[in-house]
Amino acid sequence: MANQPAGGDGGAALTVLSNGPEPVAGGRKRDAGDSRVLLDIEGMHCAGCVGRVESSLGKVPGVSGVWVNLTTQQATVEWSGGPAGGGPVYRGPGGGGPAGTTRSEANLADLVAAVERAGFKARPAATAEQAADQLARRSASELAGWRGRLAFSLIALAAIWALSHDGLIPEVVRPWLLLALATSLQVFVGWPYFRGAAILLRRGTASMDTLVALGTGTAYVAGVVELLTGQHSMNFMDGGMILAFITLGKYLEHRAKGRASAAIGRLLDLAPAEALVVRDGKTAWLPVAAVSVGDVLVIRPGDKIPLDATVQSGASHVDESWLTGESQPVQKQAGAQVFAGTINGEGSLQARVQRTVGQTALAQTVQLVRHAQESKARIQRLADQVVAWFVPAILLIALVTLIAWAVLGDAGTGVRCAVAVLVVACPCALGLATPTAIMVASGRGAEDGILIKNAQALELAGNVTTVILDKTGTVTLGRPRVCELLPAAADGESELLAVAVAVEQLSQHPLAKAVLDHAQQRGLSVEPAGQLQTRPGEGLEADDRGRRRLVGNERLLERHAVRVPDELPAALAEHRRRGRTALLVAEDQRYLGAIVVADPVADGSREAVAGLRRLGMRVVMLSGDRRETAESIAAEVGIDDVRAEVRPDEKQQVVRDFQGRGDVVAMVGDGINDAPALAAADLGVAIGSGADVAVEAADLVLIRARLELVPRAIVLARQTRQTILQNLGWAFVYNAVLVPVAAGVLAPLGIMLPPAWAAAAMAASSVSVVANSLRLRLRRRNV
């Protein structure tokens, strides 16, 4: 676990666990000894491919979980028990594992061999940066390959059409030119499908490649037979159009998938590849991977900050908008934290590295996004079950179609219908329906400051009916601030604050810090008092150059016979009812006034509660404070249901009580005492600047400590669920309608589906699913 500490300057902090609490195989929680391997997989084209890879990897001894992502072409394999269990302790994206971590080559070889037995190639992806770079390069290469095949197929197809309709070419030459063009199409454009089908055939399995290869191959063979028997045939044209349409679909699909997976690339682009480092009194540019903890960075004006570090010298303002969402730059000086990917302003800084490239807040954000994209939603299991028998069923339907038409005496139509059945069937749409939507949603969530730990969290967020909010640090800021100055004299505000600051500078109490922060904001500088004496339960008193100065409560002032206004006790009682603390200030028995300090309602809390209500949620606030204080805060933000004076061990029971009524409960908190309730809730939501254990127990992490992100996350989850259902519905309806039509069921009505149009429909199906998922990036999430 890596903890990102908060800076004293108010900068945001992020705590992310490399091993979160999401379930693995068999529904168990991940253990601390579990280890992960990220593999790049080559050759997957459809959900059937995903199923075979998962099945093969799942049979390797020691494997406790497998996640295969068709969109990213990667597999994450989890081993239980660490080295003791015989599994590799090599960790994949982002984390890189702790110091001393090694990779078990023998076990890694077992995983690669398992993938190869399934008919694919595999290799390990070492880090998030390398994985993203490899994926980008592979995607660009594949896209270029499909673009070239598409261009060739269109040119060859145009030539076949021209030869079939041009009477200028001698009849002796024309058939052989057609054969040459058709053969070149099959070899150059059809090669990936034939190769994939052949590899799987040797292993006794089949995939979409099998369907395409059989469909276009059958059309080609039929064309050759008719050519040799002297018949005029359109089968060459059909075979060419099949390849052209499917290749067009593959090209568009790869383009869309590249856009869907761009979120990680955009995050990684935030940090520079090199850092200016001081070593042995000299500065030098080094790759960020070569920079160690303790190295000193030189950060020039306008530079992107390469690593998380603590400022040693200099002063500047830093744009932390990617991390906090705040457009206003944050002032940085000695002792402040700076984060990778943020942008330095007008000043120069020297900062000591606190976290290396794989452990920064940015790297951990990338890791969580990757993890969410690798995971599977429960609804995808339905698609996986269908895909398991989909290809064999299509092969059987195509064979029955061919035999049925042959029995009816029209073998030629039987061949065309069988080919149409083979190419119209689309397991790709089923395989892409869920992962593309999850990928786009997790990337968009990260850009909004919402880190989704796994796909199940998105599903659960879309079903939430009750949201329970912890008060301190969630609804409120979690740290006291001066909210009001009440001077005894109309012009006594400056004197009131100056005396309090002189005394409070000698204290480490949180209330003292609130007073000092307020003075700093007002530009007030005062010499500290001397001879401080603490009165437990009463306050502070100091002798400052012969003047007795007091900051505390009524008992402290009574001890020193300070007279206070008659209306003060009633005012203090009202402040206490509202959860506020009044610091009474006096000098030499003269009452100067009161400084009212409170943990104020956080910006956006009222809007968040209103947004949750508009979404139909029941909103509940939990607090360990007195009921009067809790109800005052709740009323301020618009919450009616308040559970006050709740001990930390009782919060979990409150969650279970709501669950017992049939509610789907989301718990939002930030503290150690919230962790049991976060774990017990159907959906745990942690504020990213909160305690490590709270973030570990949560399913969603808000890296920007803004409560209004909760309704936005729920809207995103609902939109994602809607998109997945649309994708799956379209894929199921498409196959249920067009496969029978392709088989010729509606032939008596004069409705037939030619093989070429079947291929066009198949390509459109996959592209439409990916395009529909991309709409998630454009949909508004305002509540």
Side-chain angles (χ1 to χ4, degrees):
M1 178 174 67
N3 176 28
Q4 181 62 52
D9 51 11
L14 171 67
T15 304
V16 178
L17 300 184
S18 59
N19 286 344
E22 79 286 349
V24 296
R28 69 177 182 85
K29 296 285 187 179
R30 184 192 293 170
D31 297 324
D34 289 350
S35 303
R36 286 185 156 201
V37 175
L38 181 67
L39 300 174
D40 286 329
I41 310 295
E42 292 184 15
M44 294 191 300
H45 299 299
C46 65
C49 303
V50 171
R52 278 186 297 279
V53 173
E54 287 182 335
S55 176
S56 186
L57 286 172
K59 294 175 183 176
V60 177
V63 170
S64 59
V66 179
W67 298 267
V68 178
N69 192 313
L70 177 63
T71 310
T72 61
Q73 296 283 297
Q74 290 176 328
T76 300
V77 184
E78 188 167 272
W79 295 72
S80 59
V89 292
Y90 160 67
R91 284 174 171 81
T101 295
T102 61
R103 181 190 304 171
S104 171
E105 297 293 347
N107 288 323
L108 189 58
D110 290 342
L111 297 179
V112 172
V115 174
E116 290 177 348
R117 284 194 298 273
F120 308 93
K121 292 183 179 180
R123 63 174 179 270
T127 66
E129 289 78 5
Q130 291 173 337
D133 182 60
Q134 290 170 2
L135 179 60
R137 283 189 283 108
R138 186 170 70 244
S139 296
S141 175
E142 290 177 351
L143 187 62
W146 288 115
R147 186 188 300 114
R149 293 186 192 96
L150 175 61
F152 182 86
S153 65
L154 294 176
I155 293 171
L157 197 59
I160 290 174
W161 184 88
L163 285 172
S164 300
H165 295 81
D166 190 353
L168 299 178
I169 304 295
E171 286 296 331
V172 177
V173 179
R174 182 188 303 170
W176 303 106
L177 289 176
L178 285 171
L179 177 61
L181 287 169
T183 303
S184 64
L185 264 173
Q186 296 294 317
V187 172
F188 181 67
V189 182
W191 169 249
Y193 307 108
F194 287 110
R195 179 179 177 275
I199 291 173
L200 294 177
L201 181 62
R202 289 200 299 269
R203 290 167 172 79
T205 60
S207 72
M208 189 206 76
D209 285 345
T210 307
L211 302 180
V212 175
L214 278 175
T216 187
T218 301
Y220 173 77
V221 170
V224 172
V225 170
E226 291 177 343
L227 174 67
L228 295 176
T229 57
Q231 302 177 52
H232 177 71
S233 171
M234 289 298 293
N235 280 307
F236 284 151
M237 192 69 182
D238 285 345
M241 290 181 70
I242 289 170
L243 287 175
F245 279 126
I246 292 176
T247 302
L248 173 62
K250 283 289 184 183
Y251 172 68
L252 295 175
E253 181 185 317
H254 273 73
R255 282 192 61 183
K257 285 197 296 186
R259 292 172 59 193
S261 59
I264 289 178
R266 284 192 295 270
L267 286 172
L268 290 174
D269 286 343
L270 290 171
E274 293 184 320
L276 188 58
V277 181
V278 178
R279 284 187 179 175
D280 301 325
K282 299 179 180 178
T283 58
W285 287 99
L286 296 176
V288 289
V291 181
S292 304
V293 172
D295 281 343
V296 175
L297 304 174
V298 176
I299 305 169
R300 304 171 305 178
D303 279 354
K304 286 185 176 180
I305 296 173
L307 298 164
D308 293 356
T310 301
V311 176
Q312 301 296 299
S313 63
S316 185
H317 287 80
V318 175
D319 179 358
E320 296 185 339
S321 56
W322 88 259
L323 182 64
T324 65
E326 298 293 342
S327 58
Q328 190 70 23
V330 179
Q331 185 177 1
K332 301 291 181 179
Q333 52 194 7
Q337 300 288 312
V338 291
F339 302 95
T342 57
I343 302 174
N344 187 29
E346 74 290 346
S348 295
L349 300 172
Q350 287 200 358
R352 191 172 301 278
V353 174
Q354 299 297 313
R355 284 178 176 77
T356 55
V357 63
Q359 303 296 331
T360 64
L362 177 60
Q364 294 174 61
T365 301
V366 170
Q367 183 178 351
L368 270 188
V369 175
R370 289 190 59 82
H371 184 196
Q373 294 180 350
E374 293 159 6
S375 61
K376 280 191 177 184
R378 292 183 179 89
I379 196 170
Q380 191 174 345
R381 296 172 188 169
L382 173 62
D384 291 344
Q385 291 169 1
V386 172
V387 167
W389 53 260
F390 185 88
V391 173
I394 292 300
L395 292 173
L396 179 61
I397 292 171
L399 179 61
V400 170
T401 298
L402 179 62
I403 293 173
W405 280 101
V407 170
L408 293 173
D410 193 347
T413 300
V415 170
R416 286 190 293 275
C417 286
V419 169
V421 168
L422 290 170
V423 298
V424 80
C426 190
C428 285
L430 289 169
L432 294 169
T434 300
T436 53
I438 296 297
M439 172 168 286
V440 174
S442 57
R444 182 57 191 266
E447 292 172 0
D448 289 345
I450 304 163
L451 292 185
I452 303 159
K453 285 193 175 181
N454 51 62
Q456 291 87 348
L458 269 176
E459 282 187 300
L460 289 169
N463 296 323
V464 167
T465 59
T466 297
V467 178
I468 300 177
L469 306 174
D470 178 59
K471 179 182 76 70
T472 304
T474 302
V475 176
T476 66
L477 281 177
R479 54 184 182 274
R481 284 187 178 179
V482 172
C483 58
E484 196 173 0
L485 296 178
L486 302 174
D491 58 351
E493 189 172 282
S494 297
E495 183 184 13
L496 166 66
L497 188 57
V499 170
V501 168
V503 177
E504 297 287 17
Q505 285 185 76
L506 306 175
S507 173
Q508 298 297 318
H509 196 279
L511 297 182
K513 186 177 186 308
V515 173
L516 297 177
D517 287 346
H518 184 75
Q520 184 178 16
Q521 291 171 8
R522 296 181 59 154
L524 179 64
S525 179
V526 179
E527 288 292 324
Q531 298 183 6
L532 179 73
Q533 187 174 4
T534 301
R535 298 287 184 183
E538 296 182 2
L540 304 172
E541 58 181 82
D543 187 358
D544 187 13
R545 291 177 289 275
R547 290 171 295 179
R548 176 65 58 181
R549 291 179 165 179
L550 310 174
V551 179
N553 57 25
E554 307 98 301
R555 291 193 297 275
L556 180 66
L557 269 62
E558 288 173 3
R559 175 192 294 273
H560 290 275
V562 177
R563 291 193 59 183
V564 298
D566 294 339
E567 64 274 12
L568 183 62
L572 294 179
E574 176 61 19
H575 285 306
R576 291 193 187 100
R577 187 191 69 79
R578 300 178 63 184
R580 298 177 171 186
T581 299
L583 301 175
L584 307 184
V585 182
E587 183 181 61
D588 291 337
Q589 295 186 320
R590 181 168 60 95
Y591 176 69
L592 298 179
I595 299 176
V596 181
V597 180
D599 180 10
V601 169
D603 292 340
S605 291
R606 298 177 189 84
E607 294 79 2
V609 171
L612 290 170
R613 288 188 177 281
R614 285 194 293 271
L615 291 172
M617 304 284 158
R618 178 176 186 174
V619 184
V620 181
M621 192 181 81
L622 279 184
S623 175
D625 277 352
R626 295 179 299 110
R627 175 162 293 280
E628 283 186 346
T629 300
E631 288 181 344
S632 173
I633 296 294
E636 194 172 346
V637 297
I639 297 176
D640 300 324
D641 194 341
V642 180
R643 309 298 167 95
E645 301 176 16
V646 178
R647 297 194 309 270
D649 58 314
E650 295 175 332
K651 292 184 178 181
Q652 185 178 27
Q653 188 56 48
V654 172
V655 170
R656 288 177 174 161
D657 288 344
F658 279 103
Q659 290 172 327
R661 303 174 188 175
D663 290 350
V664 179
V665 178
M667 173 70 195
V668 186
D670 76 323
I672 292 175
N673 60 359
D674 298 323
L678 288 169
D682 298 288
L683 180 76
V685 182
I687 304 296
S689 57
D692 299 350
V693 67
V695 175
E696 180 178 4
D699 303 296
L700 299 182
V701 179
L702 309 182
I703 59 175
R704 301 166 188 167
R706 302 181 68 88
L707 195 59
E708 67 262 35
L709 290 179
V710 175
R712 293 189 71 178
I714 291 173
V715 171
L716 175 63
R718 289 181 176 181
Q719 291 175 346
T720 305
R721 182 181 60 182
Q722 182 184 39
T723 299
I724 290 173
L725 291 175
Q726 289 171 348
N727 289 347
L728 287 174
W730 161 248
F732 280 121
V733 169
Y734 163 87
N735 284 287
V737 172
L738 288 188
V739 170
V741 172
V745 170
L746 299 181
L749 300 177
I751 300 175
M752 298 287 287
L753 185 63
W757 293 113
M762 182 267 208
S765 177
S766 296
V767 173
S768 64
V769 163
V770 179
N772 189 46
S773 296
L774 286 172
R775 289 176 57 243
L776 280 170
R777 288 194 54 79
L778 306 176
R779 297 180 67 177
R780 297 180 61 186
R781 263 165 288 289
N782 296 333
V783 183

